[in-house]
Amino acid sequence: MKNNIVKSSLVVVILSLIAKVIGLCKTIIQSYYFGATVSTDAFNIANGFVGDVFFMLSTAVAVAFVPLYIQKKQDGDEYKFASETISFLSVVSIIITILVIIISPIIIKLIAPGFNDEEHDLATGFLRGICISFIFSIGTDLYTNLLNAEKKYGYSTFCSIINSLILIIGIPLFGKAIGVWVLAISVPVSYGLQLIVLYIAGRKYAGFSIADCRLNESIKLLIRQSVPILLGQATVEINQMIDRALLSSVGEGVLTAISYSSVLYQFASTLINVPIQTVMFTELSEAGARKDYSRLSSLLVNCYKISMVVCIPVMLTISLTSMDIVEMIFGHGSFNGSAVNNCAIGLILYGLCLWPVCIKTILTRAYYALNDTKWPMIIGTMEVVFNTVMSIITAPRYGIRGIIGSTAAASYIFIIVMLIDFNRRHTNTFNRIALKGIWKYFIGIMICCFFSYLLKNTFLINNLSDFLIKAFINFMFFFATLLCLKDNTFKYLLRSLKR
C-alpha cells in the first residue's frame, strides 16, 4: 500500500512538474509583454477575486463531495449521486455568475479601495469577463475530484496545461491588439476546454441532465457538509483579498510584482502539495469511512515527516536565491528593477510558508475525511483575524514585508494550534513518533546555512549558474546530513524511489 501511494504521488509529481514548467513559461511571456503596470494591477485584482471566491465555492463542494461519493459507492448509488450533484450545481453556478456581473462595480470598490476611477472601470470590465469561468469551474472541480476518488490521478494537472498553452499562443498573437484583455478572455476559454476534457474522461462515472437538476436529500447533505468547509476556505480567501487591498495602496505595480512572486512560490508549493493532497485525500477518506484510526494516524505521521524532508531544502533555496530566481525568470522586457526587487522580497516571505501550508493542506483533508468541517473553519478564522490585524498594523511602516511577513507568522502559529486540536479531538498524530528525529532536520538546516554563508560570494557568474550551484549545495548538504544521521524517513523515500 505504501509503495502504491508513493508511486501514485510520483506520477502526479511528474505531471505537476510538466504543467508548472509550461505555466512558468506562460508567466514569463506575460511579464515580458505587460510588465507591472496599472492595467496588470487591475487584472490581478479581478482575477484574484474570481480565483478566491469561486475557488472557495467550488473547492468546498468538491472536497465535501469525495467522502460522500465513497460512501455512495458502498451502496451502489454513486453514478446517480454524482450526476445529480453536477447537474444541480451547474445551474446554480449560472445564477451566481449573473449576479456577480451585475454587482461588479460594487465588488471592485470594496476589494480595491486604492484604485482611481480609471483603474476601477478597467478592473470592473475584467471581472465581468473573467467571472464567466465559474460556470465551467464548478464542473471541472467536481469531475477532477470524482476521478481522484476513482484513483485516476493526473487529469487535473493535465487540464491545467490548457490555460498555459492558450496564453502562450494568445499573448504573442493578440497581446498588442487587445493588451491585457487577452489574459481576461483566456480564463473562461481555458475552463471551458478543461471541462470538455474532464467530462470525456469522467462520463462513465457521472453525466449531466436537466432532468437531474433538483434539490434532493443527497444534495442537501452535500450542501450542509460544504458550508463549514466553505467558511473555513473563506478565511483563507478573505485574507488574500485583504492583502491585495493593502498592496493596491502601496504603489503602482507592487500588486503585480507580488502576484508574480506568488506564482513562483506556487510553482514549488504545487509540486509538493498537489501530489500529497491528491493521493492522500482519497486514502484518508477511505480510512475515515472505515473508522480506521490506526491507518489514519500512520498516514499523517508519514506525511508530516516526508513534508519536512522535501520542504526544508526548497525553503532554504528560495530564501538564499530569491533575487537570482526573479532576475533570471522575470528580469526582462517591461519588468523593471523595482518590480524585480519587490518580487524577490515577496518570494522570500512566501517561501517561509511552504512547510506550514503543506501540513495544513494534509491535516485539513484529514479533518474532512472524518466529517469534521467545523474546527478547520474555526482555526482558519482565528488565523485570518490574527493575520489581518498584524497586516494592518505593520503595512504603514514595513509595506510588503509587513503584509506578507504577517501571513508567514500566522501560518506557523496556527498550524501548531491545528496539530494540537486534531490530537485532542480525533487521533494522536503530533506525538513522539512524529517528533522523533526532528533534531536531525535542524542540524541539516544549520549546516546548509553555514556553507551557503561561506560560499555566498564565491560563484558570481550569472543568475542561472548561481542559482543552480546554490540550490545544489543546499540539497546536497541537507540530504547528506540526513543520510549520515541515518534518518528513517529519508531512507524510506530512497527505498521507494528505487522500487
Side-chain angles (χ1 to χ4, degrees):
M1 179 67 76
K2 288 182 179 179
N3 289 335
N4 290 336
I5 293 173
V6 172
K7 288 176 182 177
S8 298
S9 299
L10 286 174
V11 170
V12 179
V13 165
I14 293 168
L15 291 173
S16 298
L17 179 60
I18 295 169
K20 279 299 174 182
V21 168
I22 296 173
L24 194 58
C25 292
K26 173 207 73 175
T27 307
I28 293 170
I29 294 171
Q30 182 177 323
S31 67
Y32 180 86
Y33 273 83
F34 303 121
T37 64
V38 169
S39 295
T40 56
D41 281 352
F43 168 77
N44 281 303
I45 276 288
N47 191 48
F49 175 82
V50 173
D52 289 345
V53 175
F54 290 169
F55 173 82
M56 171 182 72
L57 292 170
S58 58
T59 298
V61 173
V63 169
F65 173 82
V66 173
L68 293 175
Y69 179 80
I70 290 174
Q71 291 173 14
K72 293 290 183 181
K73 282 188 73 174
Q74 297 174 354
D75 301 327
D77 294 332
E78 70 273 18
Y79 183 89
K80 180 182 177 184
F81 169 68
S83 299
E84 290 174 346
T85 300
I86 291 171
S87 300
F88 178 79
L89 292 177
S90 296
V91 174
V92 171
S93 69
I94 295 173
I95 297 171
I96 293 174
T97 299
I98 293 171
L99 178 63
V100 171
I101 290 173
I102 294 171
I103 64 172
S104 288
I106 300 171
I107 293 172
I108 295 299
K109 184 66 72 174
L110 290 172
I111 64 176
F115 277 6
N116 58 35
D117 291 342
E118 179 187 354
E119 293 168 327
H120 175 271
D121 293 342
L122 190 58
T124 299
F126 286 148
L127 178 57
R128 284 172 169 161
I130 296 169
C131 72
I132 297 170
S133 61
F134 183 55
I135 297 172
F136 310 114
S137 70
I138 190 73
T140 59
D141 281 351
L142 284 169
Y143 271 111
T144 296
N145 280 273
L146 174 64
L147 290 165
N148 288 341
E150 294 291 340
K151 300 191 178 181
K152 296 186 181 297
Y153 307 113
Y155 280 100
S156 60
T157 307
F158 174 75
C159 287
S160 68
I161 296 173
I162 293 174
N163 174 259
S164 300
L165 292 177
I166 288 173
L167 281 175
I168 288 172
I169 297 169
I171 290 175
L173 289 177
F174 306 109
K176 290 184 178 179
I178 61 176
V180 179
W181 269 102
V182 71
L183 305 179
I185 293 170
S186 71
V187 178
V189 171
S190 65
Y191 269 107
L193 292 174
Q194 288 176 48
L195 180 57
I196 292 171
V197 172
L198 288 166
Y199 174 76
I200 293 171
R203 59 187 174 183
K204 66 180 289 187
Y205 305 111
F208 174 84
S209 172
I210 295 297
D212 289 330
C213 182
R214 56 182 179 274
L215 185 61
N216 56 34
E217 290 303 318
S218 294
I219 295 178
K220 288 179 182 178
L221 176 61
L222 176 65
I223 293 171
R224 287 196 296 271
Q225 297 277 37
S226 300
V227 169
I229 301 174
L230 174 63
L231 295 174
Q233 187 67 37
T235 60
V236 177
E237 312 308 336
I238 289 170
N239 182 55
Q240 292 178 356
M241 283 191 285
I242 291 171
D243 283 355
R244 277 195 291 270
L246 292 170
L247 287 167
S248 70
S249 303
V250 173
E252 180 181 332
V254 171
L255 177 61
T256 298
I258 296 303
S259 73
Y260 284 139
S261 68
S262 177
V263 168
L264 293 173
Y265 160 73
Q266 288 170 8
F267 180 90
S269 176
T270 300
L271 290 179
I272 297 170
N273 286 342
V274 169
I276 296 175
Q277 172 183 322
T278 301
V279 178
M280 293 308 300
F281 187 37
T282 301
E283 300 293 335
L284 290 169
S285 296
E286 290 179 347
R290 297 193 304 267
K291 304 298 181 184
D292 188 350
Y293 291 103
S294 175
R295 169 72 173 154
L296 190 73
S297 178
S298 176
L299 287 169
L300 288 173
V301 170
N302 282 334
C303 284
Y304 297 161
K305 291 193 171 184
I306 290 171
S307 66
M308 292 191 73
V309 171
V310 177
C311 288
I312 288 174
V314 177
M315 291 165 64
L316 286 170
T317 300
I318 289 174
S319 297
L320 296 170
T321 64
S322 61
M323 187 62 75
D324 292 321
I325 295 171
V326 175
E327 286 183 345
M328 176 177 60
I329 296 174
F330 297 133
H332 315 284
S334 302
F335 207 75
N336 58 33
S338 175
V340 168
N341 185 61
N342 289 331
C343 188
I345 293 170
L347 180 59
I348 291 172
L349 295 171
Y350 276 130
L352 296 175
C353 301
L354 190 61
W355 179 77
V357 168
C358 181
I359 296 298
K360 183 178 181 180
T361 300
I362 298 164
L363 200 55
T364 301
R365 294 306 192 268
Y367 274 104
Y368 296 160
L370 294 170
N371 294 320
D372 181 355
T373 54
K374 174 184 175 182
W375 283 99
M377 175 194 70
I378 293 173
I379 295 170
T381 302
M382 293 165 58
E383 181 178 352
V384 167
V385 171
F386 175 86
N387 189 9
T388 301
V389 171
M390 291 299 298
S391 294
I392 292 171
I393 292 171
T394 57
R397 182 170 182 178
Y398 299 104
I400 296 170
R401 293 176 179 84
I403 295 168
I404 306 177
S406 298
T407 300
S411 297
Y412 280 92
I413 292 170
F414 286 93
I415 190 56
I416 295 173
V417 173
M418 183 173 277
L419 284 164
I420 294 171
D421 180 77
F422 191 86
N423 261 29
R424 187 169 63 88
R425 296 184 187 282
H426 297 293
T427 184
N428 190 12
T429 60
F430 191 46
N431 51 28
R432 290 183 180 179
I433 297 174
L435 296 174
K436 184 179 180 181
I438 198 171
W439 59 272
K440 299 174 184 177
Y441 304 126
F442 286 105
I443 291 176
I445 292 171
M446 289 187 288
I447 291 174
C448 287
C449 290
F450 175 73
F451 280 100
S452 294
Y453 177 78
L454 286 180
L455 302 173
K456 67 176 180 178
N457 295 320
T458 303
F459 308 104
L460 298 173
I461 306 167
N462 55 56
N463 294 127
L464 177 59
S465 60
D466 291 350
F467 165 71
L468 292 175
I469 291 169
K470 291 173 184 175
F472 176 76
I473 289 171
N474 276 319
F475 279 84
M476 181 185 71
F477 280 108
F478 185 75
F479 290 148
T481 301
L482 296 186
L483 197 60
C484 291
L485 295 175
K486 299 180 180 180
D487 180 68
N488 291 329
T489 303
F490 184 62
K491 290 193 292 184
Y492 162 69
L493 284 175
L494 289 178
R495 288 196 303 269
S496 299
L497 289 171
K498 287 178 182 179
R499 295 191 184 100

